[in-house]
């Protein structure tokens, strides 16, 4: 029996599935197996890391597409009221969306055509008058510094200079880059137009598909948020369009009074650029009229600058608060902060959609925030509560009055 027990013990020790007990010091003995859950945990961890890396790479590659979809969504929200108005009167939603887009394309194309013709005319005028400008500069230099410069020598020096040759080579290389950027911009514009068309034409179907995966209580909240977004985006564009109209008319009166050429086109340029390009739009809008006015008379450019600055203050402190309070209902400080934040996150696109997005979020959250009646306290209106006491004159007299001798009790204490 002893030999049989020893044989069984030897077989158990040689078996690969034999369990090995850890030693008393807590370290597993040599030949111990790893836990069964450890390989699966390692595989799961590696899979999660790979999935995270793939998701980051895909998000980085699709950032441009997501931004275009976001622009298209807000554009669809902007034209939603016009499309819905036509659809309620019996027109098919797809046809109504097409007509709205056609009107936008005609307006933009007409503006670009007028602006391009104006710029082309000014460039041709500057090129034709360049010899006269050059002669006047040369005469001023010769008179001031007692030199004998000639226009022919300057032209020959420029034509045979290495700087001009390098500039032409760099320009030829840059033409290809500009062409690629133009093609990329046209593709992005086409992408935004297609997505916005589908969002506007299939708006009811999109809302129905979104609500079909939500419970009834959530469906009401989603539809309410959608309606608020449409109202705020449309109100924002309405207020901007109205301010662009007022700005264009005001600048047109000034430019026409000064006799600046292309006054209507410049007025439209100032109105649109100053309102729909945040932060720097005012400076870009005023630079072109100033440049055109400078070609007529340098003093006219100064008058245009003064008018642009004064009108900007009037718009910021009088016109814009009244219009936005009725359409967007957002504080100017919040609007400015949202534009800065949107620019930091998404650049120019974020600056454009920041105000309607924040207005929508503010209106949606305001519907669920419980409000209370404010107590009738003077401090609410900015008035400090006065405590009865000596006035300022009495305090000043006490401060500067000479101190008398100490009382007898204080003298005894000191002694």
């Amino acid at each position: 029996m002893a030999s049989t027990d020893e044989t069984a013990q030897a077989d158990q020790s040689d078996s690969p599935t034999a369990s090995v007990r850890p030693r008393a010091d807590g370290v597993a003995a040599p030949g111990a197996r790893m836990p069964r859950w450890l390989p699966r945990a390692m595989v799961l961890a590696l899979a999660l890391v790979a999935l995270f890396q793939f998701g980051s790479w895909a998000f980085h590659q699709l950032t441009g597409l997501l931004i275009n979809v976001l622009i298209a969504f807000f554009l669809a929200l902007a034209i939603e009221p016009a499309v819905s108005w036509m659809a309620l009167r019996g027109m098919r939603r797809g046809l109504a969306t097409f007509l709205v887009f056609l009107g936008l394309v005609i307006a933009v194309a007409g503006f670009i055509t007028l602006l391009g013709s104006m710029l082309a005319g000014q460039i041709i005028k500057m090129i034709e008058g360049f010899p006269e400008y050059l002669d006047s500069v040369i005469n001023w230099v010769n008179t001031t510094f007692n030199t004998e410069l000639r226009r022919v020598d300057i032209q020959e020096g420029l034509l045979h200079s290495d700087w001009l040759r390098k500039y032409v080579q760099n320009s030829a290389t840059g033409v290809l880059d500009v062409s690629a950027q133009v093609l990329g911009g046209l593709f992005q514009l086409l992408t935004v137009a297609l997505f916005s068309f589908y969002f506007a034409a299939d708006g009811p179907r999109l809302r129905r598909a979104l609500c079909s995966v939500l419970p009834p209580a959530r469906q009401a909240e989603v539809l309410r948020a959608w309606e608020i977004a449409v109202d705020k985006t449309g109100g924002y564009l309405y207020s901007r369009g109205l301010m662009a109209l007022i700005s264009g008319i005001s600048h047109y009166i000034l430019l026409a009074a000064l006799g600046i050429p292309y006054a209507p086109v410049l007025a439209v340029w100032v109105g649109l650029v100053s309102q729909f390009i945040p932060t720097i739009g005012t400076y870009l809008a005023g630079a072109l009229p100033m440049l055109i006015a400078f070609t007529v008379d340098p003093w006219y450019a100064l008058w245009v600058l003064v008018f642009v600055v004064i009108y900007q203050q009037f718009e910021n402190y009088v016109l814009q608060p009244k219009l936005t309070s009725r359409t967007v209902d957002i504080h100017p400080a919040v609007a400015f902060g949202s534009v800065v934040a949107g620019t930091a996150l998404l650049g120019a696109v974020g600056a454009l959609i920041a105000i309607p997005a924040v207005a929508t979020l503010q209106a949606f959250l305001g519907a669920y925030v419980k409000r209370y009646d404010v107590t009738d306290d003077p401090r609410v209106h900015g008035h400090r509560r006065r405590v009865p006491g000596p006035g300022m004159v009495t305090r000043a007299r006490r401060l500067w009055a000479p101190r008398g001798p100490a009382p007898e009790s204080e003298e005894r204490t000191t002694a």
Side-chain angles (χ1 to χ4, degrees):
M1 293 296 294
S3 60
T4 304
D5 294 338
E6 292 177 357
T7 304
Q9 292 177 1
D11 293 340
Q12 291 179 0
S13 62
D14 294 338
S15 175
T17 59
S19 60
V20 180
R21 296 181 180 178
R23 295 184 303 184
D25 55 359
V27 180
R33 288 197 321 157
M34 69 173 64
R36 294 183 177 179
W37 57 267
L38 186 57
R40 281 184 265 180
M42 294 176 63
V43 172
L44 181 60
L46 292 176
L48 291 177
V49 171
L51 184 61
F52 176 77
Q53 293 293 335
F54 176 76
S56 301
W57 172 81
F59 180 78
H60 179 73
Q61 296 295 325
L62 297 176
T63 301
L65 178 61
L66 295 177
I67 293 176
N68 292 334
V69 171
L70 184 62
I71 298 174
F73 179 71
F74 275 93
L75 182 59
L77 292 179
I79 65 175
E80 176 76 18
V83 174
S84 299
W85 182 81
M86 294 182 183
L88 289 175
R89 281 154 179 79
M91 186 178 296
R92 293 182 56 185
R93 196 172 182 88
L95 180 59
T97 307
F98 174 77
L99 292 178
V100 173
F101 267 92
L102 183 61
L104 291 176
V105 170
I106 292 175
V108 172
F111 173 71
I112 293 176
T113 303
L114 292 176
L115 185 63
S117 63
M118 181 198 68
L119 293 177
Q122 291 298 319
I123 291 173
I124 293 173
K125 184 178 179 181
M126 292 176 62
I127 292 175
E128 291 177 351
F130 181 75
E132 297 179 1
Y133 296 149
L134 185 59
D135 288 337
S136 63
V137 172
I138 291 173
N139 292 331
W140 179 81
V141 172
N142 291 334
T143 305
T144 305
F145 300 100
N146 296 323
T147 58
E148 296 181 355
L149 297 176
R150 293 185 305 171
R151 189 177 70 181
V152 178
D153 297 336
I154 295 176
Q155 290 177 352
E156 290 181 355
L158 289 175
L159 291 176
H160 297 87
S161 62
D162 295 336
W163 172 82
L164 183 60
R165 179 175 54 83
K166 293 180 180 179
Y167 178 77
V168 172
Q169 292 177 354
N170 294 332
S171 299
T173 306
V175 167
L176 298 177
D177 297 337
V178 172
S179 301
Q181 292 178 1
V182 169
L183 291 177
L186 291 177
F187 179 76
Q188 291 182 356
L189 184 62
L190 180 61
T191 303
V192 171
L194 288 176
F195 274 106
S196 58
F197 181 84
Y198 290 137
F199 285 154
D202 294 338
R205 187 183 304 174
L206 180 62
R207 289 190 287 268
R208 191 179 301 109
L210 183 61
C211 293
S212 63
V213 297
L214 297 174
R218 298 297 180 185
Q219 293 179 13
E221 295 179 2
V222 169
L223 294 176
R224 184 175 184 177
W226 194 294
E227 184 179 1
I228 292 175
V230 171
D231 293 339
K232 294 302 179 180
T233 306
Y236 171 73
L237 292 180
Y238 169 76
S239 62
R240 287 294 173 180
L242 187 57
M243 286 191 293
L245 179 62
I246 298 174
S247 176
I249 293 175
S250 303
H251 287 84
Y252 171 74
I253 294 174
L254 173 69
L255 297 175
L258 295 177
I260 306 299
Y262 305 102
V265 182
L266 290 175
V268 175
W269 163 266
V270 172
L272 293 179
V273 174
S274 62
Q275 301 303 324
F276 291 98
I277 297 182
T279 309
I280 62 173
T282 303
Y283 308 103
L284 292 178
L288 185 60
M290 288 176 56
L291 180 61
I292 303 300
F294 187 82
T295 59
V296 178
D297 191 345
W299 287 103
Y300 289 174
L302 180 61
W303 282 111
V304 172
L305 175 62
V306 172
F307 182 82
V308 168
V309 173
I310 295 176
Y311 181 81
Q312 186 64 29
Q313 302 305 315
F314 167 75
E315 181 182 287
N316 290 337
Y317 294 101
V318 178
L319 186 61
Q320 183 174 355
K322 290 184 178 180
L323 291 179
T324 55
S325 63
R326 296 181 180 181
T327 55
V328 184
D329 193 16
I330 184 172
H331 194 273
V334 178
F336 178 76
S338 62
V339 169
V340 173
T343 305
L345 292 175
L346 298 176
V349 176
L352 287 173
I353 66 177
I355 293 180
V358 172
T360 301
L361 182 62
Q362 178 181 347
F364 184 71
L365 294 178
Y368 297 95
V369 175
K370 188 176 182 180
R371 298 182 181 274
Y372 301 92
D373 294 334
V374 181
T375 180
D376 190 9
D377 195 310
R379 289 172 292 183
V380 175
H381 305 285
H383 304 292
R384 297 183 59 186
R385 177 179 294 178
R386 294 184 177 274
V387 180
M392 295 295 295
V393 178
T394 306
R395 293 179 184 177
R397 289 177 179 177
R398 291 179 180 179
L399 182 63
W400 294 102
R403 301 186 62 181
E408 296 181 359
S409 58
E410 292 185 1
E411 293 179 356
R412 292 175 183 176
T413 305
T414 304

